[in-house]
Amino acid sequence: DAKTTQPPSMDCAEGRAANLPCNHSTISGNEYVYWYRQIHSQGPQYIIHGLKNNETNEMASLIITEDRKSSTLILPHATLRDTAVYYCIVRGHGSGNTGKLIFGQGTTLQVKP
Amino acid sequence: DTAVSQTPKYLVTQMGNDKSIKCEQNLGHDTMYWYKQDSKKFLKIMFSYNNKELIINETVPNRFSPKSPDKAHLNLHINSLELGDSAVYFCASSPRGGLPVSNEQFFGPGTRLTVL
């Protein structure tokens, strides 16, 4: 699975959009980009994933560049409850993939009032 | 109606003891996982079972023995506990682990193990 690089921390004002970047320059053609987050003292929570097209769900939007070497998770209207560590993970699908997630250091997002 | 539950939530014990952590999921998933999060907050996969069969064993010391009595349960038994075993242990489940479909993992609330 490809390695990802994220900034260690970011701040965002409550009510504003939070844009969290992730670099994955060694991503291969069959690897997906997943985003999870971990709110303090809780288990990680799935947010969204995508392959090459932009994706949106009730939690967030995922923008993947055309060359797929980077992506951005967008929380459109951040709230204080969105303060968490956000993990960008690249993993493949396919019969040889065991499903394990490899977590990096993630980005600590602090949403401020 | 918790999706993935773990017991106990906190576990404090002495070095050398043997302890177990239990995990149950009511989502009907085929695959379950154990992750360890150390004091530096790194989350690392330990084991995975798919339909009661071990499919991932990430070079964890053999003092750690997972057991899956059925596909809804994955327990973790730890023998001869050491100080370095202190961590938060998370259980997770997903619909399928290794098949060519995307799937998200659902995590439990974690068990904080402290070895004194």
Side-chain angles (χ1 to χ4, degrees):
Chain A
D1 294 325
K3 185 176 167 56
T4 63
T5 305
Q6 300 176 252
S9 63
M10 291 182 65
D11 288 345
C12 176
E14 189 179 19
R16 306 298 293 266
N19 298 297
L20 293 96
C22 179
N23 285 324
H24 30 79
S25 57
T26 60
I27 193 169
S28 61
N30 67 346
E31 289 182 317
Y32 286 68
V33 180
Y34 278 76
W35 284 83
Y36 281 75
R37 72 179 182 184
Q38 187 175 23
I39 295 169
H40 182 62
S41 298
Q42 297 183 22
Q45 177 191 22
Y46 166 84
I47 302 173
I48 199 167
H49 75 277
L51 181 62
K52 54 176 99 170
N53 297 324
N54 298 337
E55 302 288 341
T56 295
N57 62 21
E58 65 279 3
M59 289 182 70
S61 294
L62 175 60
I63 309 297
I64 302 174
T65 57
E66 196 168 337
D67 64 7
R68 304 211 318 124
K69 292 186 177 182
S70 66
S71 60
T72 302
L73 178 75
I74 301 172
L75 307 178
H77 305 286
T79 70
L80 298 178
R81 286 177 294 181
D82 291 322
T83 292
V85 180
Y86 287 77
Y87 297 99
C88 169
I89 299 167
V90 170
R91 60 161 285 221
H93 295 168
S95 57
N97 186 275
T98 57
K100 71 180 181 183
L101 296 173
I102 299 175
F103 288 85
Q105 286 190 302
T107 296
T108 299
L109 175 69
Q110 182 75 46
V111 180
K112 299 188 172 180
Chain B
D1 52 352
T2 305
V4 182
S5 60
Q6 296 179 227
T7 53
K9 189 168 173 61
Y10 300 97
L11 184 54
V12 181
T13 188
Q14 299 284 335
M15 260 193 335
N17 284 349
D18 304 338
K19 290 293 179 187
S20 292
I21 307 172
K22 295 186 176 182
C23 178
E24 176 181 3
Q25 53 95 3
N26 62 6
L27 298 166
H29 289 167
D30 291 333
T31 307
M32 296 184 72
Y33 310 81
W34 277 110
Y35 289 82
K36 177 181 179 181
Q37 187 166 40
D38 61 24
S39 57
K40 294 183 179 177
K41 303 296 185 185
F42 285 111
L43 257 169
K44 193 171 178 185
I45 183 79
M46 298 174 69
F47 298 102
S48 175
Y49 270 72
N50 187 52
N51 274 323
K52 304 195 294 174
E53 182 181 344
L54 180 68
I55 58 171
I56 298 175
N57 183 340
E58 288 286 312
T59 60
V60 176
N62 57 15
R63 296 183 296 103
F64 290 79
S65 52
K67 284 190 171 50
S68 182
D70 54 64
K71 74 174 193 178
H73 296 84
L74 180 61
N75 304 323
L76 184 65
H77 188 77
I78 316 171
N79 289 329
S80 303
L81 277 154
E82 301 178 356
L83 294 177
D85 298 332
S86 294
V88 182
Y89 292 83
F90 288 100
C91 176
S93 73
S94 66
R96 277 165 285 192
L99 293 178
V101 292
S102 64
N103 64 85
E104 61 193 80
Q105 292 184 19
F106 294 79
F107 284 77
T111 295
R112 182 174 294 277
L113 170 66
T114 303
V115 182
L116 302 174

